[in-house]
Amino acid sequence: KAGVTQTPRYLIKTRGQQVTLSCSPISGHRSVSWYQQTPGQGLQFLFEYFSETQRNKGNFPGRFSGRQFSNSRSEMNVSTLELGDSALYLCASSSPRTGGKTTEAFFGQGTRLTVV
Amino acid sequence: QKEVEQNSGPLSVPEGAIASLNCTYSDRGSQSFFWYRQYSGKSPELIMFIYSNGDKEDGRFTAQLNKASQYVSLLIRDSQPSDSATYLCAVAGGYQKVTFGIGTKLQVIP
């Protein structure tokens, strides 16, 4: 079974630009979550999508947005990039159980974004 | 106060010893608890999850949960140099909203 695939692996962008990151979950997984990882803040939750609906959102500005397609693939967009957006962006997929209890997540290799 | 607290370490243990990693959380409504391991330059990988109070064992790993004290721990028996990594504690309510701790860096000394 293929794992979670994120593209691209590395990106260099200039301040003010926008960027789109892509995530393909494990086959059959309908939940996709996005995280930002930085040395100082650790892993921070951005948002989670399930069946094309955003169910949860972390404390990030509106410049960070996402969407999920009918095949469960997800994209994350960051507009008007700032230097502080430089980070590793991780996508994780899950197969939620009935009852809503959070289940284990499987992470992709991440996209390393550098804003200059 | 951070929602999930971990000592960032490094925690150094000799090879063959027991490594004890600890985590506290603030949300009493949390239902799901996870330990992930992250090697330098790699993405996190799941070690264990636990939902109920008590101990859960998987090979050399034991997760312990005490909801009354809002405390989760991970014990690694017979620590190996290959266990050297950062261990992330993660806590969640429902619907996949997961909060991670900063992670504890473990160094196993040969």
Side-chain angles (χ1 to χ4, degrees), chain B residues 37-96:
Chain B
R37 177 176 62 199
Q38 187 173 26
Y39 292 110
S40 181
K42 301 292 186 182
S43 58
E45 56 180 338
L46 180 73
I47 298 175
M48 293 189 70
F49 62 88
I50 186 167
Y51 295 144
S52 304
N53 275 331
D55 295 359
K56 180 180 179 181
E57 187 174 318
D58 183 1
R60 296 187 296 112
F61 299 95
T62 299
Q64 299 175 317
L65 174 61
N66 183 325
K67 289 186 178 180
S69 299
Q70 296 173 248
Y71 178 90
V72 194
S73 65
L74 179 70
L75 300 178
I76 306 174
R77 289 181 298 281
D78 188 24
S79 296
Q80 300 298 308
S82 59
D83 294 326
S84 298
T86 296
Y87 289 79
L88 302 166
C89 172
V91 175
Y95 302 110
Q96 309 300 131

Side-chain angles (χ1 to χ4, degrees), chain B residues 18-38:
Chain B
I18 295 176
S20 178
L21 303 160
N22 305 312
C23 170
T24 58
Y25 60 95
S26 60
D27 185 355
R28 285 197 169 273
S30 300
Q31 301 173 15
S32 308
F33 306 85
F34 307 89
W35 283 100
Y36 288 85
R37 177 176 62 199
Q38 187 173 26

Side-chain angles (χ1 to χ4, degrees), chain B residues 10-17 79-84 106-110:
Chain B
L11 172 66
S12 294
V13 300
E15 183 175 355
S79 296
Q80 300 298 308
S82 59
D83 294 326
S84 298
L106 174 66
Q107 295 176 339
V108 181
I109 312 300

